[in-house]
Amino acid sequence: DQVLQRVTQLISSKVRNVDFVARWGGEEMVAALVGTNEDEAYKKAEEIRTAVKSRVKIKDIPVTVSVGVTSFNKGGNLKELIEQADKAMYEAKHNRGKDNSVRFSELK
C-alpha cells in the first residue's frame, strides 16, 4: 500500500491540475491528460516511468512501472480508450520485459 501511495503521489506531482490520476484496480493506475496527444502523453509516461524507477524503492530495490499510452483520437469512447491503454500496458509488461512505455499505435 505504501508503494502504491508513493507512486500515486509521484504521478500526481508530474501532471497538471486539470489532469486526473486514480487507482484503476489492484496495482493499476490511470492518468487522463486533458488535451494531450499521444506523443505528448508518451513523453509524460516516460518522465513518470523514469522518476518512479529512480525515486521509489522497496528495501533499496527500485520499483518499476509498465505504461500503456493512447489518446482519444485513437478511439471513440472511454471504454475503448481504456481497452487500448490496457493492451499497450500488457505489451509493455509482458512482451517487452517490464519497465517500458508502449503506445497503442505501435501495436498495429
Side-chain angles (χ1 to χ4, degrees):
D1 285 343
Q2 289 178 356
V3 171
L4 288 173
Q5 289 173 356
R6 179 66 183 118
V7 170
T8 302
Q9 290 169 350
L10 185 60
I11 293 170
S12 295
S13 76
K14 296 288 183 185
V15 299
R16 304 163 299 177
N17 289 339
V18 297
D19 299 328
F20 175 78
V21 177
R23 185 174 175 185
W24 186 250
E27 297 177 349
E28 293 185 9
M29 308 292 296
V30 63
L33 308 179
V34 177
T36 303
N37 66 36
E38 189 181 57
D39 290 337
E40 295 165 334
Y42 180 81
K43 289 176 188 173
K44 183 58 67 174
E46 281 293 285
E47 178 186 339
I48 290 167
R49 186 187 62 77
T50 57
V52 168
K53 186 174 183 177
S54 67
R55 296 182 191 171
V56 182
K57 298 181 181 357
I58 300 174
K59 298 181 181 179
D60 293 328
I61 300 170
V63 171
T64 62
V65 294
S66 300
V67 183
V69 176
T70 193
S71 70
F72 254 121
N73 58 3
K74 303 288 185 211
N77 61 50
L78 184 58
K79 182 180 180 210
E80 290 174 349
L81 192 70
I82 296 296
E83 289 172 356
Q84 291 171 1
D86 196 50
K87 286 178 185 176
M89 186 272 307
Y90 186 89
E91 173 71 18
K93 189 173 185 177
H94 296 287
N95 297 332
R96 299 197 186 180
K98 300 183 181 179
D99 193 27
N100 287 288
S101 298
V102 173
R103 302 169 202 231
F104 178 74
S105 63
E106 294 175 27
L107 303 181
K108 296 182 178 183

